[in-house]
Amino acid sequence: MTALPVGSLVTGTWWMTHRRLSALLRNPAVLVMTLAQPMIWLFLFGELFKRVVEIPGFGARSYLDYIVPGVVIMNAVSLNSFAGMATMDEIERGTLNRFLVTPVRRSAIANAGVVEQALGTAFQSLVIILLGWAAGAHYPGGPAGPAVLVAASVLIGVFLAALSNTLALLVRDRNTIIGLNVMLLLPLTFLSSAFMAKDLMPSWIRHVAAGNPVSWALDAARAALDDDPGWGTVASHGGWLLLLTAATVGLAIYSFRSYQKSQ
């Protein structure tokens, strides 16, 4: 059904986002409970591997300083990789089909998910940054550093959420979504600079990490958090990540059309 003029993109996005956030606010414990894993990463790994910085060439004053961006980005990855499960819930309840025959634009439905995921990711990223600071992490780049880190976490999170939603709309099978996400989660984590400096990685892992969007987010964030922020690195890696995120959001919107045609 063609969207009517009354279903403008801004208005539709507002109401669809309001609906999703209202449901989230009725169960805020979800956001708090999902912070348990990144807190384990932050404090357990931070203590367990703190002597790693003594290795020549590591390049960080403390492992806590190094691991905070890694935990923030990896939390965004794990938080958003299974976003398609919520889409599966709406498909199974018939909610999505009802929305697709209303004047609300498909892009507004997709945008509402993007906004919800972005806000949830930003909130958790900020909490982790503050916990790291309370534990003794330093952010010498000033407020701009943590701000770039939050922005990078939102971009990588939206990228993965859009990819997960696309998969849900095209495959419509929970087991497939879970299997593919589990298969991708560890490579995205450990074939990046989340927990180990690039200079200490084997050569082949460095080459793989160079094309890993998770490493793009980490490189942009760490460049902004440095004593002498590397804004060129922030712009280049952040720009590629932004383009990739925009492309996957567009793919998610297009997948609504494929889903609707199949009904």
Side-chain angles (χ1 to χ4, degrees):
M1 183 174 181
T2 304
L4 300 174
V6 69
S8 69
L9 181 59
V10 174
T11 303
T13 299
W14 162 255
W15 285 112
M16 294 301 295
T17 303
H18 180 270
R19 167 186 167 269
R20 295 181 70 115
L21 290 179
S22 295
L24 180 63
L25 290 174
R26 286 195 294 270
N27 190 20
V30 173
L31 279 178
V32 177
M33 289 171 61
T34 51
L35 278 168
Q37 183 173 328
M39 287 174 66
I40 291 172
W41 288 341
L42 184 64
F43 296 114
L44 181 59
F45 284 13
E47 280 297 308
L48 188 61
F49 299 114
K50 64 181 181 181
R51 299 285 301 273
V52 171
V53 294
E54 298 175 12
I55 299 174
F58 192 89
R61 78 176 77 187
S62 77
Y63 192 64
L64 185 63
D65 288 357
Y66 186 83
I67 202 177
V68 166
V71 171
V72 167
I73 298 302
M74 291 319 304
N75 179 65
V77 170
S78 63
L79 183 67
N80 292 281
S81 293
F82 292 92
M85 301 302 283
T87 301
M88 284 297 305
D89 289 338
E90 298 208 328
I91 290 173
E92 292 170 356
R93 289 197 303 263
T95 308
L96 185 59
N97 288 346
R98 290 196 290 272
F99 281 129
L100 289 174
V101 296
T102 67
V104 176
R105 294 183 180 178
R106 287 179 289 266
S107 52
I109 299 172
N111 288 346
V114 169
V115 174
E116 181 195 17
Q117 296 298 123
L119 290 176
T121 301
F123 168 76
Q124 290 202 349
S125 297
L126 186 58
V127 170
I128 295 168
I129 290 169
L130 291 174
L131 286 173
W133 174 75
H138 302 88
Y139 309 125
V148 170
L149 176 54
V150 171
S153 72
V154 168
L155 286 177
I156 194 67
V158 169
F159 158 64
L160 289 167
L163 208 57
S164 183
N165 284 327
T166 299
L167 190 63
L169 289 164
L170 297 179
V171 177
R172 298 172 224 166
D173 180 73
R174 290 179 181 273
N175 291 331
T176 302
I177 295 171
I178 293 171
L180 286 173
N181 282 325
V182 169
M183 185 177 69
L184 288 173
L185 194 57
L186 285 179
L188 284 173
T189 304
F190 293 106
L191 295 178
S192 75
S193 57
F195 300 117
M196 181 56 63
K198 284 184 179 180
D199 290 343
L200 300 180
M201 293 178 181
S203 176
W204 71 270
I205 294 182
R206 282 202 303 272
H207 290 304
V208 173
N212 185 347
V214 171
S215 281
W216 300 350
L218 286 164
D219 289 345
R222 289 196 174 112
L225 289 164
D226 200 7
D227 291 329
D228 182 19
W231 297 114
T233 301
V234 174
S236 61
H237 288 82
W240 282 114
L241 187 58
L242 179 61
L243 287 173
L244 182 63
T245 301
T248 51
V249 170
L251 182 63
I253 294 171
Y254 179 79
S255 66
F256 276 103
R257 299 176 182 173
S258 298
Y259 172 82
Q260 191 171 19
K261 288 177 182 178
S262 68
Q263 298 305 298

